[in-house]
Amino acid sequence: MNNFRFGIRQKIITGYIVIIVCLIAAILAVTNQLDNMKSERNFIIQHDIAVRDLTSQIEKDLLTMETNKRGYLITGDESYLQSYDEARSKWTKDFNTLNELLSDNPNQQKNAATINENIKEWIAVAGDPPIKMKQQNDTAGITEFFRQDPGKEKTAQVLQQFDSFRTKEKALTEQRADDLNDQNRYLEIGLFSLLAFVVIASITLAYIISGSIIKTIKAVVETIRAMTSGGNLSSRIHVKSNDEIRDLGEATNELLNSFEERDWLQRSVTDVVSKNQGVSSLETLAEIFLSATAQITESSYGAFYIKEGKDENIRFVKKGAFADTDADVGRASFKLGQGLIGQCALEKRVQVIEKIDGNYTLISSGLGETKPNSILIAPIVHEDEIVAVIELASLTTYSKQHIAFIEKVLETFGLTINRVIDRMEIARLLSESQAMTEELQAQSEELQTQSEELQMQSEELQMINEQLESRSQDAEEKSKALEIAKKDLEDKAKQLETGSKYKSEFLANMSHELRTPLNSILILSEMLAENGNQSLSDEELEFARVIHSSGQDLLNLINDILDLSKVEAGKLEIMLSEVNLSEFPANLERNFTHIADQKNLNFTINMAPDVPPLLQTDEKRFQQIVKNLLSNAFKFTEKGSVSVSVKKVETDVIYNGVDYWLEVAIKDTGIGIPKEKHALIFQAFQQGDGATIRKFGGTGLGLSISSEFAKLLGGRLQLQSEEGKGSTFKLLIPSISDEKVSVQTFLGASAEVATALEQSSNPVAVAEAPITAKIVPAEPEAEQPSISVDEENVFYGKTVLITDDDNRNIFALKTALEQKGMNILIANNGMECLDVLDANKNIDLILMDIMMPEMDGYETMQRIRGTGDHKDLPIIALTAKAMKNDREKCLEAGASDYISKPLKLEQLFSVMHVWMTK
């Protein structure tokens, strides 16, 4: 019996068989009872209803005979007599049928017989006699019959008997229905009793069967729980049952053995890796690693060798040892393939030597020395290259677990060694980047001071302009004063134009001076952040990202100042295009959700369902307005929420060239803006929190530029805010369908639309001073060509001539291009460029700076194209001036393409790839 196997499947099948047998018995009993109830129900339906129908029919036949008799007596029409005879015959037949149905009820059969006799008496007394009188034309007899009317009482008696009969029949029907209900109730009781029996039997069987299963599973679960909670892994499961649970216990014991081995290996690797964290020198790293590894592998001696030199001069030098003797036993260095350790490094495999003969390194202690029993040599590989080798010696034999541990820990140790080696180079690059950042910051502060002075001059000119406008209003009354005011206005306008020209020229030159060092910072920091050789630590990558982000922020500041200058000079053009509003919420979520998550703010975007899918406007300016407003909302909101609502404005204001009006509202729960500062914040370099000691940073250009851009788009920017209660900025812009209509028209329309909206809402602050701009159709942007996977093959071995007077730019570009395998030639001005070009005929591309001493980039490109020998040589113009028409001037001078500084490496490589593959 001990070998009998009663498995879980057999136990479960046995339980199901018992339950199925009980269910079959219950179904048979219920089926039998249902058949009986069906018979009773059919009897009630067929018998009782038939009896009622027959009594009603007999009653109807009696009344039919009475009616047709009277009709015959009155009219003498034979058809009445025929109907009388048919009713008389039918009555007899119906009564016989009724008598048969009442065979099971003698009392009702007797009552029916009484009714039959009364009907016969009626026929004999009041039915047939008057008909015979009519047939004999006995008018006097008929008159006497109607006067006495002997059948009246008999008819009433028969009708009363019929009512009594049907009442009794109805009572019998109700009694049968009650009996049927009682049977149904007994069926329910029996059914529930049987169900309770089946449930109890099922639960009992399930308890008995599952008890034998659960009892064994609990033992397995307790053991597994001990495994997962870090308990004793040496315990094993003992199962007495001969079923699948026993198989589970044996499999769990095997899993325990494997898990115990893996746990030891994982803990050992983790312990060694954690000790290597934060080490900054190779010697310290070697000693820590050898000490930890020797303890785990039970080694008594160890040596650590690091690769030094390149190509044929590669040697492995000992940087550390474990339990080394004063005589410094062992080699100080070796080459690849030299000795067993050199051969092991060459073949990149772990080697274990167990039989030690001859004079070998002795393992010493305070009492003496002895020869090792086993030697382990293991190479350390990083990116498929040998970077180091370790050799361990032990008095015992190395087990498979020890070898597996060495192989596991060395998988990532090569990366640790490479990171330590690269730190000195990273420290040098970071030092240079910090020095350049400090220089750039000083220049930025100087630009900020000069920009504030220019702003003050602009405000003075604006005041003069307002005075001139006031004087022009009195032109009709004072013609002489008008001539003087006109002359003054022209003089001031010339001064304003001259000042604007000087200001634009100054900003262009300052932009060049700032973008030149910024170009080097962005390129070098981007190269560091890309971490192409995976040699930077997370902290060093963060340093590079901070440098790149700071340089990018400074570039954005320079662009903001240039944009503001263009707006004030009236030289900013609107490029109309279709904005896909259906993608608008997704773009905002992608750009700002991470900011909301960082500040733990609720960020929602609500778009009304009636908003059209397309908006005709300048997409770049529209996106810049919304991003500036959202950036301010997140910056000045510490807790709460930021929301964006987009809706189509319903208005009666209709203008040609405007399809519809769109309102974008940005609402926050931030610090709010005092009412006295509502107009101030739309001015350049102004903030609601504008003190010298302030909580929030920024230049104060965002709202000023957003306001001016809104006016350029034919709309306006509105503000609703109270201090401490948050702010709501509303952008109202038209969808422009006719690009020929003046922006002034849209500005007038936006004023009417805003007025209509303000009448139904709270007062708002509006950015004033309408401006003019030129609307031009948007040209499709040239797609940036994607760089194929063979980019390295395209660039490798090509020769590029860099012409620039700034050594920082030269260093940055040279470093980036040499990483692509390109040959670099240098020229510091246009004259040197021509000399280098004459001396080297195999130049594939020229990177040409524009602003240089002696000969600038324009003249240099014209002279290169003028020779005729280099008319097809690609020349990419690089400039930091970034003013209007720079691109056209460069292309006219002979440039193949144009890139503004600071350069983006991806853009530069993309353009170079296009021209090198043509």
Side-chain angles (χ1 to χ4, degrees), residues 471-479 482:
R471 294 176 182 178
S472 63
Q473 295 176 357
D474 302 329
E476 294 180 358
E477 299 178 359
K478 300 179 181 180
S479 59
L482 177 61

Side-chain angles (χ1 to χ4, degrees), residues 577-581 612-617 622 660 662 733-735:
S577 62
E578 290 183 347
V579 180
N580 190 348
L581 293 179
L614 296 178
L615 173 69
Q616 187 79 8
T617 187
F622 172 71
Y660 64 92
L662 185 73
I733 62 171
S735 178

Side-chain angles (χ1 to χ4, degrees), residues 387 571 881-882 901:
V387 295
K571 297 182 179 180
K881 196 171 183 181
K901 297 180 183 178

Side-chain angles (χ1 to χ4, degrees), residues 333-374:
S333 65
F334 64 88
K335 293 183 178 181
L336 282 174
Q338 183 179 1
L340 287 177
I341 190 169
Q343 189 64 29
C344 176
L346 182 63
E347 296 177 358
K348 299 179 183 179
R349 64 182 179 86
V350 178
Q351 185 174 1
V352 179
I353 305 170
E354 295 183 350
K355 295 181 179 180
I356 309 301
D357 295 325
N359 296 325
Y360 224 86
T361 299
L362 298 177
I363 299 174
S364 63
S365 66
L367 299 177
E369 297 177 342
T370 183
K371 188 171 60 177
N373 186 49
S374 182

Side-chain angles (χ1 to χ4, degrees), residues 73 130 133-135 137-147:
L73 294 178
M133 293 179 186
K134 180 65 176 177
Q135 291 175 344
N137 293 324
D138 186 1
T139 305
I142 292 173
T143 302
E144 182 63 21
F145 174 81
F146 278 112
R147 186 180 64 80

